[in-house]
Amino acid sequence: MEDNFNQNNFEEFLKEQVRNHRMYPNDVVWRDINKKLHGDKKWPALTIAAFILLSATIAISVYFTPKPDIFTINPAHNEPKNSTLLNSEHSISLHNLASSDTLYKDKMVLSEAGKKQLTDIAAAAPAVSDINTTKATTKHKPAISVKKNIAGYNKSTTFKRRANQKSTNSYLALNNGKKSSNNIRNTNTTVSPEKTIASAVIKPIAENLKTANDFNDKNMVDNFLKDHKDDISLHTVSKLKRLKNRLSFQIYIAPSVSYRNLLEDQSVLKENINPGPVGLNYVADVNKVVRHKPNNGLEAGIAVMYYLSDNFRIKSGFQFNVRQYSIEAYRSNTELSSIALVGNNRIDTINTLAIYRNNNGSYPAELVNRYYQFSIPVGIEWEIIGNKRVQLNVAGSIQPTYLLNHNAYLLSTNFKNYSENPDMVRSFNINSNIETFISIKSGAFKWQIGPQLRYQPYSTFIPQYPIKEHLLDYGIKLGLSKTF
Amino acid sequence: MTEEYIIAGCLHNEPSAQRELYNRFSPKMLAVCYRFAQSREDAEDMLQEGFIKVFTQIHTFQNKGAFEGWIRRIVVHTCINFLKKYKKFNDNVDLDHADSVFIKEETIPSIMQAKQVNECIRLLPVGYRTVLNLYAIEGYSHKEISVMLDIEESTSRSQYTRAKSMLENILVKKNILEKPPTHTQFSWLAGVKKS
């Protein structure tokens, strides 16, 4: 048998207890509701950026990887053309020319005119001494590209030689003339980057017939250089110029989206800390109580890069950041708001006046926590893959940061109010950055574009404030650099 | 922003009005869902379904009675449907063995009394809890509950009696209620502790 009085009192008791119970849902709930009601209108910027980067990486890997024989001279291009020979200027670009042993171990790039010069010498030898230069060519492995050149030429010229013996002799005779020698004197030979042959004055071919005969010698190239060392002037690049070649200047800008991550100081719960006038409210997760929205940010800076090697660079410079996020709040009457400070094994409380509530105010208000920062990033860049024109890079940096403004809104300890308290904002901080980008060389400049992530591992606020705010920015970085 | 303005905005499917309505009522409604749900995640799922129904059915609101009450009824029905859909009632305890359900003292969380009462309610088996929530807190009759839960009216009554008994025991153990002397029948509730 139920007793009405008993029953009603019990129900009243329960109703009284639960009537004002409130719980604050995770912001994800509203986003899902909004998505179902209005669809997802968010532009998938990061997805598209990642897709573009992936596509570019594949494209670079497939189409821009240098072929193994890229430095081999194609024999088909070595056909002598007297008319162009006589009128052209010849240049040879060699690497590491200082040591003849290493001459052909490294890259050797012959300009077309330079190829003609060498093949012309090679052609002269068999024409006079009737020696098969293919067999006579040294087996010196590093000189393989030269061998191919000469061999290729001889293959094409041997059968012509007999038929055109007369014309060849005429050609040689012509080479004895002043015109020919003048042309060859104008030949420029350059070494890049360590040594440069500013000008290589090569004796007329007629005078070099003896040299041409020396193709039989397996150290043909060494002897050639040795005999002409007086005619070749080598200029050592000054240290200053080398330093300039290794330094480049960069300007960049990165529109970004700024997020924040809030963490509570859980050590307060673990340690036996004496509570202050206002106890900490850890019943709810702070991220589920507040309603914050990401906002647009910006990063801009200048940097100087130093090339440690072809692939590694270090860089440093000056950078200016704007980071911000929005807070959905409510305007209310002026209220007393308490902020707990945890430290020295106790909790202290400071009171401020607040005119914004987290919930249930007079009317909605949007607050913005905007930070202006100045930083000095120090970082490295690594070129993963690419050629002279297009490269794929990754980079990272550490950024000591100074906060230029301190007017941020802080949440009170009971999660009910927002108030400004400049003393609670930390002036110096550290940020870290990782990025990947594609760089494209265009004339004297190099452009770069790619996504970047910047994270602030230390809280924006002083360590005693129990809610830790870590800023996070996703952005697309656009940069322009130039070597000094 | 007034309630009429919010309703008008929601009728025009305006996101700002919908957000305002959600901000205003979601904390209370989540507390309702939480009393029915097994976990906070379930409660948020219930809340989400409930508010989608509120926004899509708002044109059926007749301006008769309180708007909050209308939302609350939708949310409660959503909770019941959620429990039915995911067969949460399978966790129910046989009425004959309800008294033998053992609840450890330390599982009762030490938080403020209002929240403590809620947590104590949530310690009940889901069948008891649902009937208790509907009858004692939401104010539905046993007849309405029998229709909502597809059970006999007598079952609803007996489940409520058992739920109440179990909850009293928990509240007494937690010193929220004082156990009355045995000779003063039904007078012990006068000794309810106030927080």
Side-chain angles (χ1 to χ4, degrees):
Chain A
M1 181 179 158
E2 287 180 353
D3 181 271
N4 287 334
F5 176 78
N6 180 13
Q7 180 178 306
N8 290 338
N9 275 279
F10 181 73
E11 288 157 7
E12 283 301 316
F13 165 72
L14 286 181
K15 279 183 182 174
E16 183 189 332
Q17 290 297 319
V18 303
R19 186 181 300 152
N20 294 317
H21 184 214
R22 285 174 175 78
M23 295 175 69
Y24 295 94
N26 192 329
D27 206 37
V28 176
V29 176
W30 168 250
R31 283 203 290 270
D32 287 347
I33 291 170
N34 195 44
K35 196 188 293 181
K36 287 195 177 177
L37 293 173
H38 303 286
D40 191 6
K41 295 174 182 174
K42 200 180 284 181
W43 190 66
L46 288 176
T47 309
I48 289 175
F51 177 75
I52 291 171
L53 190 68
L54 184 66
S55 304
T57 306
I58 293 169
I60 289 170
S61 304
V62 172
Y63 295 108
F64 294 97
T65 304
K67 293 177 181 174
D69 59 344
I70 191 169
F71 300 113
T72 304
I73 299 160
N74 189 352
H77 295 159
N78 295 332
E79 291 288 342
K81 293 177 183 174
N82 290 342
S83 58
T84 47
L85 175 70
L86 294 174
N87 296 317
S88 66
E89 290 203 350
H90 311 285
S91 67
I92 304 171
S93 294
L94 301 173
H95 281 228
N96 297 331
L97 196 58
S99 168
S100 60
D101 286 333
T102 59
L103 175 62
Y104 294 106
K105 287 180 183 175
D106 295 323
K107 298 174 184 178
M108 188 178 86
V109 180
L110 297 176
S111 69
E112 193 158 345
K115 295 172 203 169
K116 287 168 191 162
Q117 172 64 28
L118 282 181
T119 52
D120 182 53
I121 294 167
V128 176
S129 59
D130 200 21
I131 294 169
N132 186 341
T133 56
T134 305
K135 290 179 182 176
T137 304
T138 176
K139 292 179 180 178
H140 196 249
K141 284 184 180 176
I144 190 164
S145 60
V146 175
K147 282 195 289 183
K148 282 187 181 179
N149 181 14
I150 295 169
Y153 171 75
N154 283 323
K155 279 180 186 172
S156 60
T157 55
T158 301
F159 67 91
K160 290 179 183 175
R161 194 187 311 142
R162 289 169 187 164
N164 300 323
Q165 186 72 40
K166 194 174 178 181
S167 62
T168 307
N169 288 335
S170 304
Y171 164 67
L172 288 171
L174 181 64
N175 280 343
N176 283 326
K178 189 178 178 181
K179 185 179 180 182
S180 173
S181 64
N182 284 342
N183 271 306
I184 297 172
R185 276 195 185 95
N186 289 331
T187 301
N188 290 327
T189 306
T190 59
V191 176
S192 173
E194 287 81 13
K195 307 283 183 182
T196 301
I197 302 173
S199 64
V201 182
I202 300 172
K203 292 177 180 178
I205 291 175
E207 294 173 28
N208 290 331
L209 289 179
K210 183 176 178 298
T211 305
N213 289 333
D214 287 342
F215 280 125
N216 288 326
D217 191 343
K218 66 178 183 179
N219 293 320
M220 171 266 297
V221 177
D222 290 347
N223 289 337
F224 177 82
L225 294 170
K226 198 182 293 178
D227 292 348
H228 294 84
K229 64 183 179 183
D230 296 335
D231 301 329
I232 300 171
S233 58
L234 299 175
H235 296 274
T236 304
V237 179
S238 69
K239 285 184 179 178
L240 181 63
K241 192 168 184 180
R242 270 191 290 171
L243 183 65
K244 277 189 174 179
N245 285 336
R246 285 173 177 270
L247 284 174
S248 69
F249 172 80
Q250 184 187 53
I251 58 171
Y252 56 88
I253 187 167
S256 61
V257 181
S258 301
Y259 293 80
R260 94 288 171 274
N261 186 28
L262 299 180
L263 297 173
E264 289 160 315
D265 189 356
Q266 297 296 335
S267 63
V268 180
L269 296 180
K270 291 174 187 170
E271 296 168 12
N272 188 20
I273 293 176
N274 299 321
V278 175
L280 296 178
N281 184 356
Y282 285 113
V283 176
D285 178 5
V286 62
N287 288 289
K288 293 174 180 175
V289 175
V290 299
R291 292 180 304 283
H292 293 177
K293 287 193 300 185
N295 215 328
N296 295 328
L298 186 72
E299 167 189 307
I302 56 173
V304 174
M305 290 189 288
Y306 179 76
Y307 284 72
L308 292 174
S309 70
D310 287 344
N311 294 336
F312 275 100
R313 303 176 288 274
I314 56 171
K315 70 173 184 179
S316 184
F318 302 107
Q319 184 175 298
F320 179 69
N321 305 328
V322 180
R323 316 168 90 166
Q324 57 182 347
Y325 64 86
S326 303
I327 301 168
E328 288 185 25
Y330 292 88
R331 186 76 162 78
S332 69
N333 296 326
T334 304
E335 295 176 325
L336 194 64
S337 159
S338 298
I339 296 174
L341 298 177
V342 181
N344 300 324
N345 206 29
R346 57 172 292 178
I347 298 174
D348 293 322
T349 305
I350 60 168
N351 294 319
T352 59
L353 293 175
I355 56 169
Y356 295 106
R357 281 187 192 164
N358 188 24
N359 284 294
N360 299 329
S362 307
Y363 55 87
E366 183 173 280
L367 311 177
V368 177
N369 269 357
R370 183 178 293 124
Y371 303 108
Y372 298 104
Q373 297 175 327
F374 174 77
S375 64
I376 303 177
V378 179
I380 59 167
E381 289 186 2
W382 176 42
E383 180 187 316
I384 303 172
I385 190 173
N387 57 17
K388 283 187 174 178
R389 184 169 170 75
V390 184
Q391 301 96 29
L392 176 67
N393 306 267
V394 292
S397 69
I398 299 292
Q399 306 175 353
T401 304
Y402 179 74
L403 188 65
L404 299 172
N405 66 320
H406 290 73
N407 51 336
Y409 289 96
L410 277 78
L411 190 61
S412 63
T413 307
N414 59 7
F415 300 161
K416 286 182 180 171
N417 297 98
Y418 284 102
S419 61
E420 281 186 300
N421 199 328
D423 294 337
M424 308 279 276
V425 183
R426 201 197 290 244
S427 294
F428 288 96
N429 215 314
I430 296 279
N431 279 276
S432 57
N433 147 275
I434 55 169
E435 62 184 293
T436 178
F437 59 87
I438 293 169
S439 55
I440 302 165
K441 190 165 175 55
S442 173
F445 295 97
K446 187 184 271 190
W447 293 89
Q448 71 173 62
I449 186 167
Q452 75 154 359
L453 168 69
R454 190 166 72 250
Y455 183 66
Q456 182 179 282
Y458 296 103
S459 175
T460 310
F461 309 119
I462 59 174
Q464 290 80 13
Y465 183 60
I467 300 171
K468 311 295 181 192
E469 179 189 273
H470 301 276
L471 300 174
L472 180 67
D473 289 63
Y474 299 99
I476 302 292
K477 188 172 181 177
L478 178 67
L480 176 66
S481 58
K482 185 182 185 304
T483 307
F484 280 113
Chain B
M1 198 180 284
T2 63
E3 204 166 274
E4 290 73 23
Y5 187 81
I6 293 173
I7 293 169
C10 290
L11 283 169
H12 288 92
N13 206 26
E14 287 177 9
S16 60
Q18 289 170 338
R19 182 67 201 249
E20 180 61 31
L21 187 148
Y22 175 82
N23 287 345
R24 188 170 291 191
F25 295 108
S26 63
K28 272 189 180 178
M29 296 306 132
L30 182 60
V32 172
C33 294
Y34 191 59
R35 281 201 307 276
F36 283 94
Q38 299 281 63
S39 64
R40 186 182 171 98
E41 286 72 27
D42 282 355
E44 289 186 335
D45 287 346
M46 290 171 176
L47 183 78
Q48 185 178 319
E49 282 187 32
F51 266 94
I52 288 170
K53 282 183 189 171
V54 166
F55 291 129
T56 53
Q57 303 294 322
I58 198 164
H59 60 277
T60 63
F61 177 61
Q62 304 289 332
N63 272 322
K64 293 173 184 173
F67 185 50
E68 183 180 336
W70 181 78
I71 294 174
R72 197 180 187 100
R73 280 196 295 280
I74 287 180
V75 169
V76 168
H77 276 86
T78 306
C79 293
I80 299 300
N81 290 336
F82 187 94
L83 293 172
K84 282 181 181 174
K85 184 178 174 183
Y86 295 103
K87 302 184 189 303
K88 299 289 185 184
F89 289 113
N90 289 348
D91 300 337
N92 204 353
V93 179
D94 185 358
L95 291 178
D96 295 336
H97 299 94
D99 288 340
S100 63
V101 174
F102 179 71
I103 297 167
K104 291 180 183 175
E105 177 73 16
E106 57 268 25
T107 60
I108 302 171
S110 298
I111 48 178
M112 292 165 62
Q113 184 163 309
K115 287 172 185 164
Q116 208 168 4
V117 171
N118 271 293
E119 291 298 333
C120 291
I121 292 171
R122 295 191 69 254
L123 289 172
L124 298 174
V126 64
Y128 290 4
R129 185 168 75 227
T130 308
V131 173
L132 184 108
N133 275 326
L134 291 172
Y135 185 79
I137 299 170
E138 303 300 334
Y140 289 90
S141 69
H142 285 301
K143 192 173 182 180
E144 288 172 313
I145 293 169
S146 67
V147 174
M148 288 168 76
L149 301 182
D150 294 327
I151 57 174
E152 294 295 324
E153 192 176 331
S154 59
T155 307
S156 174
R157 286 180 187 280
S158 60
Q159 284 221 16
Y160 174 68
T161 308
R162 302 282 179 140
K164 183 180 161 189
S165 170
M166 191 180 286
L167 181 61
E168 283 169 357
N169 285 334
I170 295 169
L171 294 174
V172 168
K173 277 183 185 175
K174 198 58 196 165
N175 285 330
I176 297 171
L177 290 179
E178 285 178 0
K179 190 74 177 175
T182 50
H183 62 276
T184 55
Q185 192 180 6
F186 304 130
S187 62
W188 57 270
L189 273 170
V192 167
K193 281 184 177 176
K194 298 292 181 184
S195 57

